[in-house]
mmCIF file of all heavy atoms in Angstrom:
data_model
loop_
_atom_site.group_PDB
_atom_site.id
_atom_site.type_symbol
_atom_site.label_atom_id
_atom_site.label_comp_id
_atom_site.label_asym_id
_atom_site.label_seq_id
_atom_site.Cartn_x
_atom_site.Cartn_y
_atom_site.Cartn_z
ATOM 1 N N LYS A 248 58.039 -14.253 111.281
ATOM 2 C CA LYS A 248 59.243 -14.477 112.098
ATOM 3 C C LYS A 248 59.171 -13.686 113.401
ATOM 4 O O LYS A 248 59.629 -14.149 114.454
ATOM 5 C CB LYS A 248 60.470 -14.047 111.293
ATOM 6 C CG LYS A 248 61.800 -14.233 112.010
ATOM 7 C CD LYS A 248 62.167 -15.710 112.070
ATOM 8 C CE LYS A 248 63.643 -15.913 112.389
ATOM 9 N NZ LYS A 248 64.096 -15.260 113.625
ATOM 10 N N LYS A 249 58.580 -12.493 113.347
ATOM 11 C CA LYS A 249 58.516 -11.627 114.523
ATOM 12 C C LYS A 249 57.295 -11.904 115.399
ATOM 13 O O LYS A 249 57.202 -11.361 116.512
ATOM 14 C CB LYS A 249 58.508 -10.165 114.080
ATOM 15 C CG LYS A 249 59.822 -9.707 113.460
ATOM 16 C CD LYS A 249 59.754 -8.258 113.014
ATOM 17 C CE LYS A 249 61.081 -7.785 112.430
ATOM 18 N NZ LYS A 249 61.021 -6.371 111.970
ATOM 19 N N ALA A 250 56.361 -12.714 114.901
ATOM 20 C CA ALA A 250 55.157 -13.010 115.671
ATOM 21 C C ALA A 250 55.502 -13.835 116.908
ATOM 22 O O ALA A 250 56.432 -14.641 116.911
ATOM 23 C CB ALA A 250 54.150 -13.748 114.802
ATOM 24 N N ALA A 251 54.736 -13.647 117.962
ATOM 25 C CA ALA A 251 54.976 -14.367 119.211
ATOM 26 C C ALA A 251 54.677 -15.848 119.045
ATOM 27 O O ALA A 251 53.694 -16.232 118.411
ATOM 28 C CB ALA A 251 54.103 -13.777 120.311
ATOM 29 N N GLY A 252 55.551 -16.676 119.596
ATOM 30 C CA GLY A 252 55.334 -18.129 119.531
ATOM 31 C C GLY A 252 56.596 -18.864 119.146
ATOM 32 O O GLY A 252 57.420 -18.359 118.375
ATOM 33 N N ASP A 253 56.757 -20.074 119.686
ATOM 34 C CA ASP A 253 57.938 -20.887 119.401
ATOM 35 C C ASP A 253 57.735 -21.835 118.223
ATOM 36 O O ASP A 253 58.700 -22.346 117.661
ATOM 37 C CB ASP A 253 58.318 -21.716 120.638
ATOM 38 C CG ASP A 253 58.716 -20.842 121.814
ATOM 39 O OD1 ASP A 253 59.264 -19.740 121.564
ATOM 40 O OD2 ASP A 253 58.460 -21.237 122.962
ATOM 41 N N THR A 254 56.469 -22.085 117.840
ATOM 42 C CA THR A 254 56.158 -23.017 116.754
ATOM 43 C C THR A 254 55.576 -22.250 115.586
ATOM 44 O O THR A 254 54.649 -21.444 115.746
ATOM 45 C CB THR A 254 55.150 -24.082 117.222
ATOM 46 O OG1 THR A 254 55.682 -24.762 118.365
ATOM 47 C CG2 THR A 254 54.880 -25.086 116.112
ATOM 48 N N ARG A 255 56.131 -22.496 114.394
ATOM 49 C CA ARG A 255 55.645 -21.839 113.183
ATOM 50 C C ARG A 255 55.482 -22.875 112.078
ATOM 51 O O ARG A 255 56.134 -23.923 112.107
ATOM 52 C CB ARG A 255 56.606 -20.734 112.731
ATOM 53 C CG ARG A 255 56.729 -19.591 113.723
ATOM 54 C CD ARG A 255 57.753 -18.550 113.261
ATOM 55 N NE ARG A 255 57.806 -17.435 114.193
ATOM 56 C CZ ARG A 255 58.502 -17.433 115.324
ATOM 57 N NH1 ARG A 255 59.227 -18.494 115.638
ATOM 58 N NH2 ARG A 255 58.481 -16.389 116.115
ATOM 59 N N TYR A 256 54.656 -22.538 111.093
ATOM 60 C CA TYR A 256 54.388 -23.474 110.001
ATOM 61 C C TYR A 256 54.496 -22.773 108.655
ATOM 62 O O TYR A 256 54.197 -21.585 108.519
ATOM 63 C CB TYR A 256 52.980 -24.067 110.124
ATOM 64 C CG TYR A 256 52.794 -24.969 111.333
ATOM 65 C CD1 TYR A 256 52.273 -24.463 112.523
ATOM 66 C CD2 TYR A 256 53.157 -26.311 111.282
ATOM 67 C CE1 TYR A 256 52.095 -25.281 113.624
ATOM 68 C CE2 TYR A 256 52.979 -27.137 112.389
ATOM 69 C CZ TYR A 256 52.454 -26.615 113.557
ATOM 70 O OH TYR A 256 52.285 -27.425 114.657
ATOM 71 N N ILE A 257 54.908 -23.558 107.655
ATOM 72 C CA ILE A 257 54.908 -23.131 106.257
ATOM 73 C C ILE A 257 53.887 -23.971 105.501
ATOM 74 O O ILE A 257 53.912 -25.209 105.575
ATOM 75 C CB ILE A 257 56.296 -23.331 105.600
ATOM 76 C CG1 ILE A 257 57.296 -22.323 106.156
ATOM 77 C CG2 ILE A 257 56.201 -23.196 104.078
ATOM 78 C CD1 ILE A 257 57.038 -20.894 105.740
ATOM 79 N N PHE A 258 52.997 -23.315 104.766
ATOM 80 C CA PHE A 258 52.057 -24.004 103.887
ATOM 81 C C PHE A 258 52.373 -23.649 102.445
ATOM 82 O O PHE A 258 52.600 -22.468 102.125
ATOM 83 C CB PHE A 258 50.609 -23.589 104.176
ATOM 84 C CG PHE A 258 49.919 -24.425 105.210
ATOM 85 C CD1 PHE A 258 50.173 -24.234 106.561
ATOM 86 C CD2 PHE A 258 49.018 -25.409 104.841
ATOM 87 C CE1 PHE A 258 49.532 -24.993 107.520
ATOM 88 C CE2 PHE A 258 48.378 -26.188 105.790
ATOM 89 C CZ PHE A 258 48.634 -25.976 107.143
ATOM 90 N N CYS A 259 52.359 -24.639 101.584
ATOM 91 C CA CYS A 259 52.371 -24.396 100.147
ATOM 92 C C CYS A 259 50.954 -24.609 99.649
ATOM 93 O O CYS A 259 50.397 -25.703 99.770
ATOM 94 C CB CYS A 259 53.325 -25.345 99.421
ATOM 95 S SG CYS A 259 53.260 -25.176 97.624
ATOM 96 N N ASN A 260 50.379 -23.552 99.104
ATOM 97 C CA ASN A 260 48.994 -23.603 98.627
ATOM 98 C C ASN A 260 48.963 -24.139 97.195
ATOM 99 O O ASN A 260 49.242 -23.421 96.245
ATOM 100 C CB ASN A 260 48.382 -22.203 98.683
ATOM 101 C CG ASN A 260 46.920 -22.175 98.271
ATOM 102 O OD1 ASN A 260 46.376 -23.165 97.788
ATOM 103 N ND2 ASN A 260 46.265 -21.044 98.454
ATOM 104 N N ALA A 261 48.641 -25.428 97.057
ATOM 105 C CA ALA A 261 48.519 -26.056 95.743
ATOM 106 C C ALA A 261 47.077 -26.479 95.492
ATOM 107 O O ALA A 261 46.820 -27.479 94.829
ATOM 108 C CB ALA A 261 49.462 -27.254 95.639
ATOM 109 N N ASP A 262 46.150 -25.699 96.007
ATOM 110 C CA ASP A 262 44.732 -25.985 95.825
ATOM 111 C C ASP A 262 44.196 -25.151 94.663
ATOM 112 O O ASP A 262 43.302 -24.327 94.846
ATOM 113 C CB ASP A 262 43.960 -25.663 97.109
ATOM 114 C CG ASP A 262 42.521 -26.159 97.051
ATOM 115 O OD1 ASP A 262 42.317 -27.367 96.941
ATOM 116 O OD2 ASP A 262 41.602 -25.315 97.122
ATOM 117 N N GLU A 263 44.783 -25.346 93.483
ATOM 118 C CA GLU A 263 44.405 -24.503 92.343
ATOM 119 C C GLU A 263 43.027 -24.912 91.819
ATOM 120 O O GLU A 263 42.893 -25.594 90.824
ATOM 121 C CB GLU A 263 45.468 -24.533 91.245
ATOM 122 C CG GLU A 263 45.819 -25.893 90.679
ATOM 123 C CD GLU A 263 46.768 -25.792 89.503
ATOM 124 O OE1 GLU A 263 47.144 -24.697 89.072
ATOM 125 O OE2 GLU A 263 47.158 -26.864 88.993
ATOM 126 N N GLY A 264 42.006 -24.433 92.499
ATOM 127 C CA GLY A 264 40.636 -24.799 92.137
ATOM 128 C C GLY A 264 39.989 -23.855 91.149
ATOM 129 O O GLY A 264 38.866 -24.103 90.705
ATOM 130 N N GLU A 265 40.671 -22.762 90.823
ATOM 131 C CA GLU A 265 40.102 -21.809 89.874
ATOM 132 C C GLU A 265 39.946 -22.462 88.510
ATOM 133 O O GLU A 265 40.928 -22.910 87.917
ATOM 134 C CB GLU A 265 41.020 -20.587 89.751
ATOM 135 C CG GLU A 265 40.429 -19.421 88.997
ATOM 136 C CD GLU A 265 39.339 -18.709 89.787
ATOM 137 O OE1 GLU A 265 39.634 -18.083 90.804
ATOM 138 O OE2 GLU A 265 38.177 -18.815 89.348
ATOM 139 N N PRO A 266 38.723 -22.577 87.978
ATOM 140 C CA PRO A 266 38.543 -23.216 86.672
ATOM 141 C C PRO A 266 39.439 -22.592 85.598
ATOM 142 O O PRO A 266 39.514 -21.374 85.469
ATOM 143 C CB PRO A 266 37.063 -22.966 86.366
ATOM 144 C CG PRO A 266 36.421 -22.905 87.720
ATOM 145 C CD PRO A 266 37.425 -22.203 88.578
ATOM 146 N N GLY A 267 40.132 -23.451 84.864
ATOM 147 C CA GLY A 267 41.034 -22.991 83.825
ATOM 148 C C GLY A 267 42.488 -22.961 84.243
ATOM 149 O O GLY A 267 43.375 -22.724 83.426
ATOM 150 N N THR A 268 42.760 -23.224 85.525
ATOM 151 C CA THR A 268 44.140 -23.174 86.026
ATOM 152 C C THR A 268 44.699 -24.581 86.169
ATOM 153 O O THR A 268 44.052 -25.466 86.704
ATOM 154 C CB THR A 268 44.189 -22.455 87.390
ATOM 155 O OG1 THR A 268 43.562 -21.187 87.276
ATOM 156 C CG2 THR A 268 45.610 -22.273 87.852
ATOM 157 N N PHE A 269 45.940 -24.764 85.718
ATOM 158 C CA PHE A 269 46.581 -26.081 85.830
ATOM 159 C C PHE A 269 48.096 -25.980 85.929
ATOM 160 O O PHE A 269 48.809 -26.971 85.800
ATOM 161 C CB PHE A 269 46.182 -26.974 84.647
ATOM 162 C CG PHE A 269 46.274 -26.315 83.294
ATOM 163 C CD1 PHE A 269 47.429 -26.383 82.535
ATOM 164 C CD2 PHE A 269 45.185 -25.632 82.767
ATOM 165 C CE1 PHE A 269 47.507 -25.784 81.282
ATOM 166 C CE2 PHE A 269 45.248 -25.021 81.511
ATOM 167 C CZ PHE A 269 46.413 -25.100 80.767
ATOM 168 N N LYS A 270 48.622 -24.791 86.198
ATOM 169 C CA LYS A 270 50.066 -24.589 86.259
ATOM 170 C C LYS A 270 50.711 -25.346 87.422
ATOM 171 O O LYS A 270 51.817 -25.901 87.266
ATOM 172 C CB LYS A 270 50.387 -23.100 86.353
ATOM 173 C CG LYS A 270 49.756 -22.388 87.522
ATOM 174 C CD LYS A 270 49.932 -20.879 87.442
ATOM 175 C CE LYS A 270 49.226 -20.181 88.603
ATOM 176 N NZ LYS A 270 49.747 -20.572 89.915
ATOM 177 N N ASP A 271 50.049 -25.394 88.578
ATOM 178 C CA ASP A 271 50.617 -26.098 89.725
ATOM 179 C C ASP A 271 50.746 -27.588 89.437
ATOM 180 O O ASP A 271 51.691 -28.240 89.885
ATOM 181 C CB ASP A 271 49.755 -25.884 90.965
ATOM 182 C CG ASP A 271 49.789 -24.450 91.467
ATOM 183 O OD1 ASP A 271 50.588 -23.650 90.937
ATOM 184 O OD2 ASP A 271 49.011 -24.122 92.380
ATOM 185 N N ARG A 272 49.783 -28.116 88.701
ATOM 186 C CA ARG A 272 49.844 -29.530 88.300
ATOM 187 C C ARG A 272 51.132 -29.816 87.537
ATOM 188 O O ARG A 272 51.824 -30.811 87.794
ATOM 189 C CB ARG A 272 48.637 -29.855 87.412
ATOM 190 C CG ARG A 272 48.548 -31.291 86.930
ATOM 191 C CD ARG A 272 47.678 -31.389 85.679
ATOM 192 N NE ARG A 272 48.438 -31.142 84.463
ATOM 193 C CZ ARG A 272 47.944 -30.581 83.354
ATOM 194 N NH1 ARG A 272 46.685 -30.178 83.313
ATOM 195 N NH2 ARG A 272 48.705 -30.434 82.293
ATOM 196 N N VAL A 273 51.475 -28.930 86.627
ATOM 197 C CA VAL A 273 52.657 -29.128 85.790
ATOM 198 C C VAL A 273 53.936 -28.954 86.606
ATOM 199 O O VAL A 273 54.877 -29.750 86.492
ATOM 200 C CB VAL A 273 52.630 -28.167 84.588
ATOM 201 C CG1 VAL A 273 53.912 -28.282 83.773
ATOM 202 C CG2 VAL A 273 51.422 -28.453 83.705
ATOM 203 N N ILE A 274 53.991 -27.924 87.450
ATOM 204 C CA ILE A 274 55.180 -27.709 88.272
ATOM 205 C C ILE A 274 55.420 -28.898 89.188
ATOM 206 O O ILE A 274 56.540 -29.399 89.309
ATOM 207 C CB ILE A 274 55.045 -26.420 89.105
ATOM 208 C CG1 ILE A 274 54.982 -25.186 88.205
ATOM 209 C CG2 ILE A 274 56.225 -26.279 90.074
ATOM 210 C CD1 ILE A 274 54.710 -23.897 88.955
ATOM 211 N N LEU A 275 54.361 -29.367 89.852
ATOM 212 C CA LEU A 275 54.521 -30.485 90.790
ATOM 213 C C LEU A 275 54.848 -31.794 90.079
ATOM 214 O O LEU A 275 55.424 -32.700 90.672
ATOM 215 C CB LEU A 275 53.255 -30.639 91.629
ATOM 216 C CG LEU A 275 53.085 -29.570 92.711
ATOM 217 C CD1 LEU A 275 51.671 -29.576 93.266
ATOM 218 C CD2 LEU A 275 54.096 -29.781 93.835
ATOM 219 N N THR A 276 54.491 -31.882 88.810
ATOM 220 C CA THR A 276 54.849 -33.065 88.033
ATOM 221 C C THR A 276 56.321 -33.035 87.628
ATOM 222 O O THR A 276 57.053 -34.015 87.797
ATOM 223 C CB THR A 276 53.972 -33.173 86.768
ATOM 224 O OG1 THR A 276 52.608 -33.310 87.150
ATOM 225 C CG2 THR A 276 54.382 -34.370 85.915
ATOM 226 N N GLU A 277 56.771 -31.905 87.102
ATOM 227 C CA GLU A 277 58.122 -31.827 86.555
ATOM 228 C C GLU A 277 59.169 -31.317 87.542
ATOM 229 O O GLU A 277 60.335 -31.677 87.455
ATOM 230 C CB GLU A 277 58.124 -30.941 85.304
ATOM 231 C CG GLU A 277 57.397 -31.553 84.131
ATOM 232 C CD GLU A 277 57.944 -32.928 83.748
ATOM 233 O OE1 GLU A 277 59.174 -33.079 83.605
ATOM 234 O OE2 GLU A 277 57.127 -33.853 83.606
ATOM 235 N N TYR A 278 58.755 -30.466 88.489
ATOM 236 C CA TYR A 278 59.730 -29.853 89.392
ATOM 237 C C TYR A 278 59.282 -29.905 90.855
ATOM 238 O O TYR A 278 59.313 -28.888 91.548
ATOM 239 C CB TYR A 278 59.966 -28.394 88.978
ATOM 240 C CG TYR A 278 60.525 -28.241 87.585
ATOM 241 C CD1 TYR A 278 59.680 -27.985 86.501
ATOM 242 C CD2 TYR A 278 61.890 -28.369 87.340
ATOM 243 C CE1 TYR A 278 60.189 -27.851 85.221
ATOM 244 C CE2 TYR A 278 62.403 -28.231 86.059
ATOM 245 C CZ TYR A 278 61.548 -27.976 84.999
ATOM 246 O OH TYR A 278 62.052 -27.844 83.726
ATOM 247 N N PRO A 279 58.895 -31.069 91.358
ATOM 248 C CA PRO A 279 58.449 -31.118 92.757
ATOM 249 C C PRO A 279 59.556 -30.754 93.738
ATOM 250 O O PRO A 279 59.288 -30.143 94.781
ATOM 251 C CB PRO A 279 57.991 -32.569 92.932
ATOM 252 C CG PRO A 279 58.742 -33.339 91.884
ATOM 253 C CD PRO A 279 58.859 -32.406 90.726
ATOM 254 N N ARG A 280 60.802 -31.095 93.410
ATOM 255 C CA ARG A 280 61.918 -30.774 94.310
ATOM 256 C C ARG A 280 62.106 -29.271 94.427
ATOM 257 O O ARG A 280 62.510 -28.768 95.472
ATOM 258 C CB ARG A 280 63.201 -31.446 93.808
ATOM 259 C CG ARG A 280 63.172 -32.965 93.938
ATOM 260 C CD ARG A 280 64.273 -33.631 93.135
ATOM 261 N NE ARG A 280 64.136 -35.097 93.149
ATOM 262 C CZ ARG A 280 63.301 -35.767 92.348
ATOM 263 N NH1 ARG A 280 62.547 -35.105 91.478
ATOM 264 N NH2 ARG A 280 63.215 -37.076 92.414
ATOM 265 N N LEU A 281 61.822 -28.565 93.354
ATOM 266 C CA LEU A 281 61.924 -27.106 93.372
ATOM 267 C C LEU A 281 60.907 -26.518 94.355
ATOM 268 O O LEU A 281 61.229 -25.603 95.126
ATOM 269 C CB LEU A 281 61.686 -26.562 91.962
ATOM 270 C CG LEU A 281 61.790 -25.058 91.751
ATOM 271 C CD1 LEU A 281 63.195 -24.561 92.075
ATOM 272 C CD2 LEU A 281 61.425 -24.696 90.309
#
Side-chain angles (χ1 to χ4, degrees):
K248 180 73 163 56
K249 292 179 178 179
D253 297 329
T254 303
R255 296 177 177 82
Y256 293 95
I257 289 291
F258 270 78
C259 175
N260 183 351
D262 190 62
E263 57 174 358
E265 191 72 68
T268 306
F269 47 91
K270 57 189 177 61
D271 292 353
R272 181 202 86 212
V273 175
I274 295 174
L275 286 166
T276 298
E277 291 304 311
Y278 299 96
R280 291 166 186 81
L281 182 62

